Amino acid sequence: MRLYLLRLGTIPGLGAPVPGYLIRTDEGATVLVDTGAAPGGPQVLVEEGQDVVSSLGRLGVRPEDVTHVVCSHLDPDHVGGHAAFPGAEFVIQRAHLDLARSGTVPRLAACRPLWDVPGLKYTTVDGDTELLPGVELVASGGHVPGHQSVLVRLPHTGPVLLAVDAIPMSAALDAARRPVLPFDMDEKELRESTRKLVELARAEGALIVHGHDAEQWPTLRAAPAYYD
């Protein structure tokens, strides 16, 4: 199994990455976690060739090769490339999809054309779930209800926890003292999820990959390098 970290854009001013993640299993599944921001959007700079289709193409992966798209959540910087994968199974927490479809969260409603694409096949899960052998979905709400992180168990590297926006940067590793950022919706649940993920990583000996961390990113193996 291999895990690739894809830089799909940059948050201007912060220099922070907007990542996606590619998991290729020994059994032949090709799993994409999030699809980045749409090029030309106002909040994320997507340079030429940095979109998800181009990024995958450099690894020899075509859109039709992707079997699963794991949706951590449906914020605009995570759904910009959904339409490119009509043959994939989109996997999302039921609570989050229900919330998004309700239209009650303005930022999710604003980018609905990006994720509510006719013909996309959504599969919902409830809570912590094994997606495939070695790939586990971890409920981690608080940033937004129904947010999910991903634990990848690699044969040589060991476990890697893709925390996504539940732990966006190293300053958010302390559950009690972490900052609550403007787009975080539920402080209590956010702190509980932070504690859960940190304890999980400690118990598993996992590397935590933060969601938008300008300082951590250069220390990681970004694609075309990979973890295995």
Side-chain angles (χ1 to χ4, degrees):
M1 185 183 298
R2 290 182 177 182
L3 168 65
Y4 297 84
L5 311 186
L6 311 174
R7 185 168 191 143
L8 303 179
T10 301
I11 300 174
L14 299 178
V18 173
Y21 310 97
L22 176 69
I23 305 163
R24 306 201 78 174
T25 75
D26 296 338
E27 292 74 29
T30 300
V31 181
L32 179 64
V33 180
D34 292 341
T35 65
Q43 296 179 326
V44 176
L45 173 63
V46 181
E47 297 180 2
E48 185 176 354
Q50 213 172 38
D51 62 280
V52 67
V53 172
S54 298
S55 297
L56 291 175
R58 287 191 291 275
L59 300 175
V61 177
R62 304 166 301 171
E64 57 265 35
D65 297 329
V66 175
T67 56
H68 303 76
V69 176
V70 172
C71 305
S72 66
H73 61 306
L74 299 176
D75 273 350
D77 56 331
H78 297 261
V79 300
H82 275 34
F85 306 99
E89 177 184 2
F90 285 72
V91 185
I92 190 169
Q93 291 286 326
R94 183 188 311 275
H96 188 65
L97 185 59
D98 288 348
L99 175 70
R101 285 175 169 167
S102 74
T104 58
V105 179
R107 71 186 200 244
L108 302 182
C111 66
R112 186 164 190 156
L114 296 175
W115 56 261
D116 195 9
V117 178
L120 290 191
K121 301 179 286 289
Y122 279 96
T123 296
T124 58
V125 298
D126 296 297
D128 298 350
T129 303
E130 182 182 67
L131 176 65
L132 297 166
V135 182
E136 299 174 17
L137 310 180
V138 184
S140 51
H143 173 66
V144 65
H147 180 284
Q148 62 184 354
S149 305
V150 182
L151 180 66
V152 186
R153 299 182 184 277
L154 298 167
H156 300 108
T157 302
V160 178
L161 179 59
L162 309 174
V164 199
D165 286 3
I167 303 179
M169 59 198 73
S170 59
L173 284 166
D174 186 319
R177 299 179 182 179
R178 63 161 294 161
V180 178
L181 302 173
F183 289 110
D184 294 332
M185 294 182 62
D186 186 324
E187 179 177 350
K188 181 176 183 292
E189 187 178 23
L190 183 71
R191 297 191 189 282
E192 290 173 350
S193 291
T194 303
R195 186 173 296 106
K196 172 184 177 178
L197 293 179
V198 170
E199 290 178 353
L200 173 63
R202 184 179 297 119
E204 295 280 351
L207 166 67
I208 301 177
V209 176
H210 310 146
H212 301 290
D213 195 329
E215 293 183 1
Q216 186 192 38
W217 189 261
T219 73
L220 302 170
R221 294 182 215 162
Y226 55 85
Y227 293 90
D228 63 1

